[in-house]
Amino acid sequence: MTEHAPLFENPDRNLALELVRATEAAAIRATPFIGHGNKNAADGAAVDAMRKFLGTVNFSGTVVIGEGEKDEAPMLYNGEVVGNGRGPACDIAVDPIDGTSLTAAGRRNAISMIAAADRGSMLDASSVFYMQKLVAGPDLVGVVDIRLPIGENLRAIANARGRAVSELQVAVLDRPRHEDLVRDIRAAGAGTRLLLDGDVAGGIDAASVDGLFDICVGTGGSPEGVATACAIKALGGVIQTILAPQSDEERQRGLDAGLKFDHVYEADELVKSDNTFFVATGVTDGNLVSGVRRRGHIIRTESIVLRSHSGTIRRVIADHLAERWLDD
């Protein structure tokens, strides 16, 4: 029997609409757990649904960035191969629920997301879990610099946009480690929007032309930074990151893996490919996308689909027959 040849060498536009089926499935399956306090149950349902749907997609995807290693939650694990093997070879970054705690508490801004790019193009920063990040829109390329104090960046943004610093809104994860950063932002005169979780959505919002935030800054997960870079390459914005090891041992692991410290990783180093995809479906309502809604016999989802090669941003609203999603 003749082996199946790849249908195409590089990911094409059809892949984006295939991947969104997987994020829709994960979001729908997580919905019964919204507000019930069990983040692992929500994550487990989303993982199972995403894995099942990814298995039908025409590609050979290798999970370079999975979720769950940190807290032993359910996960699609690093190195797992997904897809039916009959399409392009891709790196993928997955998070069946970015914001499991938000989902469990019934709070805003939980999403299900997948990023994809040509095989071997995503930076494997798994040996160093945290990185400093700065994400902003296309008009701020060459204006902001993560190495500068936040006050200087805010004044540069205000000058570039012809606005007062007091009008700027800065997205920051609400974490104790950011107390000094938040104080400096407010001392400069800008306002903060503290995110309980989900700096991927925060970064995409900051890079979007109609976003609520002017910039997203702070220290968050390295996996999320690489996934965000896939979206930023489609939006034309700026992402700058600096690895932030939490111990000498973690720094050494990073050095052994070939990572660079005291170095600004920008979009083209985080993801070398110029053909990136980012898809996300809302689990709960948020600034980026609306959450899953049940309307009688219909389940409605909203997703965002970004592709760097074409520079397109699509929003996909889908109605699903609820009876097809009832548990057997």
Side-chain angles (χ1 to χ4, degrees):
M1 180 179 293
T2 303
E3 293 184 2
H4 289 291
L7 299 180
F8 36 82
E9 293 182 355
N10 301 109
D12 77 352
R13 60 192 174 197
N14 297 318
L15 180 60
L17 295 181
E18 288 290 296
L19 294 177
V20 80
R21 294 171 54 241
T23 57
E24 288 171 346
I28 291 171
R29 286 301 190 192
T31 302
F33 301 94
I34 294 173
H36 286 265
N38 190 337
K39 68 177 187 177
N40 281 354
D43 209 20
V47 167
D48 289 345
M50 181 173 282
R51 180 179 280 118
K52 178 180 177 180
F53 273 77
L54 283 176
T56 70
V57 176
N58 288 326
F59 80 140
S60 177
T62 299
V63 179
V64 175
I65 298 168
E67 180 67 16
E69 291 85 352
K70 184 174 67 168
D71 56 7
E72 297 184 356
M75 62 177 174
L76 281 145
Y77 59 86
N78 288 355
E80 183 172 353
V81 177
V82 295
N84 64 16
R86 298 183 61 190
C90 300
D91 285 349
I92 63 170
V94 298
D95 198 342
I97 305 179
D98 181 29
T100 53
S101 295
L102 300 177
T103 303
R107 294 192 175 106
R108 291 172 53 85
N109 293 316
I111 61 173
S112 176
M113 72 91 181
I114 300 173
D118 299 319
R119 185 74 185 100
S121 62
M122 287 187 185
L123 178 71
D124 182 358
S126 58
S127 55
V128 180
F129 192 79
Y130 288 106
M131 57 172 49
Q132 299 173 47
K133 307 174 195 176
L134 180 155
V135 187
D139 61 322
L140 298 179
V141 174
V143 174
V144 292
D145 189 330
I146 194 173
R147 293 162 293 195
L148 296 177
I150 188 62
E152 289 189 35
N153 277 315
L154 293 174
R155 287 186 286 273
I157 293 170
N159 182 63
R161 292 185 169 173
R163 296 161 59 193
V165 173
S166 60
E167 297 178 287
L168 302 182
Q169 296 294 324
V170 183
V172 187
L173 281 174
D174 189 6
R175 301 288 187 272
R177 62 178 177 269
H178 290 148
E179 287 180 3
D180 290 345
L181 176 59
V182 169
R183 185 183 62 246
D184 291 344
I185 291 168
R186 292 171 177 169
T192 55
R193 295 296 182 103
L194 299 181
L195 308 177
L196 292 172
D197 215 337
D199 66 346
V200 174
I204 294 172
D205 180 279
S208 300
V209 66
D210 57 352
L212 175 65
F213 311 137
D214 293 282
I215 188 171
C216 183
V217 294
T219 300
S222 298
E224 289 83 355
V226 177
T228 303
C230 289
I232 299 308
K233 295 192 81 162
L235 293 167
V238 54
I239 179 169
Q240 299 176 340
T241 68
I242 299 174
L243 292 169
Q246 303 300 294
S247 66
D248 291 340
E249 291 78 12
E250 189 177 32
R251 184 182 181 90
Q252 187 58 53
R253 287 197 300 271
L255 290 170
D256 293 342
L259 298 175
K260 295 179 281 188
F261 294 91
D262 304 316
H263 170 79
V264 177
Y265 283 94
E266 300 196 48
D268 286 339
E269 281 190 287
L270 293 168
V271 187
K272 296 177 182 177
S273 173
D274 288 325
N275 192 26
T276 67
F277 298 81
F278 180 91
V279 300
T281 301
V283 178
T284 61
D285 284 343
N287 299 331
L288 188 63
V289 282
S290 297
V292 178
R293 283 181 166 78
R294 176 75 180 264
R295 303 210 184 282
H297 68 290
I298 293 296
I299 296 172
R300 177 166 294 177
T301 58
E302 183 181 359
S303 306
I304 188 170
V305 180
L306 310 175
R307 186 187 180 206
S308 67
H309 182 72
S310 56
T312 51
I313 305 166
R314 291 184 171 88
R315 290 189 177 273
V316 178
I317 296 176
D319 288 341
H320 313 258
L321 284 175
E323 65 185 38
R324 303 288 177 88
W325 293 91
L326 295 176
D327 290 328
D328 295 332

